[in-house]
Amino acid sequence: MTTKCGFVALIGEPNAGKSTLTNHMVGAKVSIVTHKVQTTRARIRGVALEGEAQLVFVDTPGLFRPRRRLDRAMVAAAWGGAADADIIVLLVEAHRGITPGVETILDGLADLPKGRKIALAINKIDKVEAPVLLKLTQDLNERYAFAETFMISAEKGHGTNALRHWLAENLPEGPWLYPEDQIADLPMRMLAAEITREKLTLRLHQELPYQLTVETESWDERKDGSARIEQIIYVMRDGHKGIVLGKKGETIKAISKLAREELEEFLGRRIHLFLQVKVRPNWLEEKERYSEMGLDFKDGN
């Protein structure tokens, strides 16, 4: 049989369910998932197989109105991921409908290179009644001529098999880009940093998660098969450092334990994780930080 392979970009507003859908399609956690918006920063690629087709999912940052350099770089990465993809899937939350943010994305679809199939996936369908869902489907398809429409629940898996099958059918013919057992092309150092950042985001509240970043400074393989990983958490103020550390270091210990346990489960071996918190008031303006996140510093201009 002829093999197929191609890139599938998932786009939508923050919290539309792109990371959840990526993880569900791949069958493993490759993308940060939290209840907070704007948590995906880089274009994370997850790899899934469907028959003879290899689907490379690009989980893009959410599309929103950017305010800061980091925001602008994230939005540029999202549209860049869509422009480079073979197929684009727009995720819209059923219960939120056509928000101003969705309107902006619909307008932006017209500017993408021609020849790409764009599908619509209405997510979180369990949150609305059928008449509301049908009306939303009709309204969205009147605004843009989608190649296909799917009604799904990324969290529960409803409707995702039909979406996966359609994507596989519509990918271009070609050799697979990744080995059969590879589920992500994100470097392990970056994936490890994302796991720690997720634990920080879930544990801490309000604005702080968007004003910190995590970098894997060293990764040493040990003779007993374990790995020693040292990471730095960069924050912008001394007060933020105190929040991350917590009383008598309790918060950082809890975060380290959760991140280490997930890394051990993901890698299937013992991990020694060491976290350090550093204050860097201007990290949002440092080119090196963007490179570590897989973003282009110039896109933030």
Side-chain angles (χ1 to χ4, degrees), residues 195-201 203-204 233 243-245 249-261 273 275:
I195 287 172
T196 301
R197 189 166 68 88
E198 179 189 56
K199 303 313 172 194
L200 284 158
T201 305
R203 180 78 184 226
L204 306 172
I233 302 166
I243 293 170
V244 174
L245 291 173
E250 289 175 0
T251 302
I252 194 75
K253 285 178 186 174
I255 288 165
S256 179
K257 180 175 182 289
L258 290 169
R260 177 182 54 77
E261 288 173 348
L273 180 63
L275 302 181

Side-chain angles (χ1 to χ4, degrees), residues 6 11 44 47 50 68 74 106 119-120 129 133 151 157 200 222 237 253 258 265 276 280 286 296 298:
I11 66 171
I44 297 170
V47 185
E50 175 69 21
R68 307 165 300 174
M74 287 166 61
L106 290 170
L120 170 66
E129 298 294 328
L133 198 56
M151 299 182 188
L200 284 158
R222 299 174 61 153
R237 301 191 185 108
K253 285 178 186 174
L258 290 169
E265 184 180 353
Q276 185 180 0
R280 288 187 82 103
E286 293 175 355
D296 192 330
K298 295 194 299 292

